[in-house]
Amino acid sequence: MKTQYRHTKIIFTLGPATESEEVLEELIRSGADICRLNMAHATNEWCEQMAERVKKVGERVGKDIALMMDVKGPEIRTSKIEGVWELMVGEKLDIMMRGNGESKGGVRSISVNYPEMTEAVKEGDVILVDSGLVHLKVLEKKPDYIRTEVVIGGKLGSKRHINLPGIRVNLPALTEQDKEHIKIGAKNGMAFFALSFVREAKDIEELKQYLKDCNSNARVIAKIEDQCGLKNLDAIIEASDGVMVARGDLGVECPFEQIPIIQKMTVEKCILYGKPVIVATHLLESMTYAPVPTRAEVSDVAQAIYEQTDAVMLSGETSVGKYPVQCVETIKKVVAHVESIIPAKHNEGPLILSGKNKMLRSAVVLAQEIGNTGIMVFTRRGESIQKLSSLRPTRCPLYVFTDDHLLSVQLRLLWGVEPFYIKFFKDRNQTIEEAVKLLKERQYVIENDYLIVLTNILVSRKSIDTIQLRKVE
Ligand code: PGA
Ligand code: MN
């Protein structure tokens, strides 16, 4: 058996550093599984152009990767300002609910896109700007502005993100701009939509309804970025098709020392619920400027792999970094090593074991007992694949065949799954034989390898679930 399969998937964020056809091709060839379009700074035109380009390059390489649109959700942002300001410790700064720029008694001011912010904060609260680089303490509140004092100074540019740790922001889950983006994304074949700052299950349901209205079958990923999302984590996992541990904002909204535990707990919960999970942000941050990672970064990536996250996600490293291809190569190296030393095992716990699910587990037991073998599954809607993947059968690739193109790219997110988009024949045995042929052609298997096949067969017009053991000829 070809030992090149990889259980842990790689997501990269598209940006100026990666949007040329040449770099995209290198990334896909290197093994990137999902391409994320971050809509924080993107335009509709860019999104359309990129979706087309990724598809085109994927066709050329012979690997369709999934597109994930990341919409911004309820984010508070500062207004546009002239140039970049240096904020000094002790300096006062007014945050205006309306208007922009005018200063009162020599105090500079900025405005925000959140008119209710005066009600949300109280005296003594700390407002964090630009991922917590700048801290502003609330001195006094007026109906139309908040006077603050700079406690940690630094640079302030335009449209910087504001965090209010522990405060529930009263902005809609989906803004009008998000809706515009989603419409374009739906038209351009997004396989996933990731929603930022999901606070409750209702936010996900709202997005799902909107996708229905847009005629999109895309799956929805809930980005857990603040304390509110964490509080409602179980319900959010149940409502969504997957979760992202958005460590960037989480580390600002929560004390950063809690991040490792939040990550571990979220990954465990998602596996338990049979939903995919993504560990995101700062995995290889130093590689934005350097061709090799720090040792601490390598350990961080390895930790996520040990925890058996479905995917890890690169952000700035690939959108604006100098070494995007090296980043993907680095992740691949760490994955290959860590996955090669984890012994063959699987989860016993996570399933509500219906008869069908017990059968999935039996297939895993059989495959691991035989060793050096994978499981082939045929699916139209992918229902049992998530369950199979959540058993986390190490050393056992899951070859999933489907005749639904969108599903085939969506399956790229799942731990251990190698999806194949194929034609199904009327005769099920012919479909299986063609699929085995494909695995052999692509060198996933060689002669005399065993394969476990999970499929239903027709016996006297009745469909019967079976586990088969086949030897590759
Ligand atoms: P962002 O989300 O990159 O869209 O901010 C991820 C995170 O906060 O970690
Ligand atoms: Mn974020």
Side-chain angles (χ1 to χ4, degrees):
M1 182 168 62
K2 182 181 153 188
T3 47
Q4 291 298 309
Y5 65 83
R6 174 162 43 82
H7 295 312
T8 316
K9 303 307 182 69
I10 304 171
I11 304 175
F12 73 96
T13 303
L14 197 60
T18 33
E19 62 193 32
S20 74
E21 282 192 25
E22 296 70 36
V23 179
L24 266 176
E25 180 164 340
E26 277 189 84
L27 286 173
I28 298 176
R29 285 193 194 282
S30 301
D33 299 288
I34 296 177
C35 170
R36 168 193 183 236
L37 306 184
N38 184 358
M39 298 312 285
H41 309 286
T43 62
N44 287 347
E45 294 69 38
W46 180 79
C47 175
E48 265 174 347
Q49 200 187 354
M50 288 304 123
E52 200 174 303
R53 193 174 294 172
V54 170
K55 197 168 146 222
K56 179 172 151 201
V57 175
E59 271 165 21
R60 193 158 70 212
V61 176
K63 177 179 172 183
D64 289 336
I65 62 169
L67 287 165
M68 176 185 286
M69 177 181 269
D70 190 325
V71 294
K72 292 338 289 167
E75 264 193 347
I76 309 176
R77 283 197 177 263
T78 62
S79 54
K80 241 183 159 156
I81 56 171
E82 272 310 310
V84 175
W85 296 358
E86 189 71 47
L87 296 178
M88 309 299 279
V89 174
E91 178 184 344
K92 301 209 171 27
L93 182 75
D94 287 342
I95 300 178
M96 317 288 291
M97 299 307 111
R98 273 157 220 95
N100 195 19
E102 63 268 41
S103 54
K104 290 187 176 64
V107 176
R108 291 196 279 190
S109 77
I110 52 166
S111 69
V112 287
N113 63 342
Y114 184 36
E116 291 169 44
M117 192 156 137
T118 40
E119 288 134 57
V121 299
K122 54 184 191 313
E123 258 175 48
D125 277 352
V126 177
I127 296 170
L128 308 180
V129 190
D130 208 358
S131 294
L133 291 177
V134 169
H135 289 203
L136 307 170
K137 192 168 103 187
V138 177
L139 294 181
E140 61 178 319
K141 299 198 305 178
K142 300 277 186 208
D144 58 344
Y145 72 95
I146 301 166
R147 176 146 298 180
T148 70
E149 185 183 305
V150 179
V151 211
I152 295 181
K155 291 190 167 35
L156 176 73
S158 287
K159 301 215 154 189
R160 296 294 89 196
H161 179 44
I162 287 192
N163 292 90
L164 301 173
I167 294 171
R168 193 193 186 288
V169 175
N170 192 21
L171 286 170
L174 277 184
T175 64
E176 287 311 308
Q177 164 132 72
D178 290 337
K179 288 185 180 168
E180 278 307 303
H181 287 153
I182 293 166
K183 250 192 235 163
I184 298 293
K187 257 199 223 140
N188 287 276
M190 294 297 137
F192 298 97
F193 285 89
L195 181 60
S196 304
F197 288 91
V198 171
R199 294 161 296 184
E200 51 197 335
K202 201 160 66 60
D203 300 348
I204 292 296
E205 281 148 21
E206 192 181 328
L207 172 52
K208 283 197 167 172
Q209 184 54 50
Y210 190 68
L211 285 175
K212 238 189 222 158
D213 298 344
C214 295
N215 283 324
S216 166
N217 285 321
R219 294 190 174 178
V220 170
I221 304 296
K223 291 172 70 184
I224 303 297
E225 318 214 39
D226 64 11
Q227 296 180 28
C228 202
L230 272 177
K231 203 176 91 214
N232 300 317
L233 187 58
D234 287 83
I236 292 172
I237 296 175
E238 279 196 285
S240 64
D241 304 311
V243 160
M244 185 193 296
V245 187
R247 304 188 303 182
D249 277 288
L250 266 177
V252 182
E253 297 276 344
C254 306
F256 57 70
E257 63 273 23
Q258 293 178 7
I259 297 301
I261 303 302
I262 293 172
Q263 172 181 321
K264 187 167 183 293
M265 180 265 300
T266 308
V267 171
E268 277 169 11
K269 260 191 205 284
C270 286
I271 296 175
L272 199 69
Y273 280 100
K275 296 284 171 81
V277 56
I278 301 161
V279 170
T281 313
H282 297 161
L283 285 123
L284 298 175
E285 186 71 4
S286 76
M287 284 188 77
T288 314
Y289 308 104
V292 286
T294 67
R295 314 317 177 240
E297 286 164 345
V298 172
S299 290
D300 177 52
V301 174
Q303 179 61 26
I305 300 163
Y306 274 127
E307 289 168 3
Q308 299 192 311
T309 182
D310 287 82
V312 289
M313 188 177 102
L314 296 161
S315 298
E317 300 96 321
T318 55
S319 61
V320 294
K322 273 177 81 173
Y323 303 97
V325 179
Q326 286 90 333
C327 285
V328 173
E329 292 291 343
T330 300
I331 300 241
K332 244 176 39 181
K333 265 191 204 161
V334 184
V335 170
H337 187 69
V338 174
E339 289 185 354
S340 76
I341 56 164
I342 296 179
K345 61 178 170 44
H346 62 271
N347 288 341
E348 290 292 337
L351 299 176
I352 307 155
L353 287 177
S354 65
K356 186 85 190 273
N357 288 342
K358 281 188 177 143
M359 201 164 150
L360 299 178
R361 197 179 59 186
S362 303
V364 164
V365 171
L366 181 58
Q368 291 185 325
E369 196 117 297
I370 291 173
N372 197 35
T373 179
I375 299 176
M376 296 173 82
V377 197
F378 298 83
T379 185
R380 287 218 146 95
R381 275 169 301 172
E383 277 153 1
S384 53
I385 310 304
Q386 240 160 258
K387 288 262 191 277
L388 188 59
S389 163
S390 72
L391 285 168
R392 297 294 195 259
T394 50
R395 305 289 184 100
C396 172
L398 308 170
Y399 304 119
V400 180
F401 300 84
T402 179
D403 62 350
D404 180 322
H405 184 262
L406 179 63
L407 177 62
S408 75
V409 294
Q410 287 170 334
L411 290 170
R412 289 212 180 279
L413 175 59
L414 298 186
W415 188 99
V417 171
E418 291 272 349
F420 299 88
Y421 171 52
I422 61 162
K423 195 169 94 188
F424 283 177
F425 296 94
K426 241 202 175 117
D427 173 3
R428 287 169 204 216
N429 193 48
Q430 190 182 357
T431 308
I432 297 171
E433 280 179 358
E434 290 294 328
V436 174
K437 215 163 94 189
L438 188 65
L439 288 181
K440 209 174 147 193
E441 265 166 29
R442 302 210 188 154
Q443 294 177 329
Y444 284 95
V445 292
I446 52 171
E447 226 171 84
N448 292 331
D449 275 352
Y450 280 111
L451 280 165
I452 312 298
V453 183
L454 268 172
T455 185
N456 43 14
I457 56 164
L458 279 181
V459 180
S460 315
R461 295 223 197 101
K462 257 206 238 148
S463 171
I464 297 180
D465 290 324
T466 62
I467 301 178
Q468 306 173 4
L469 179 63
R470 293 199 178 212
K471 200 168 191 178
V472 180
E473 287 166 359

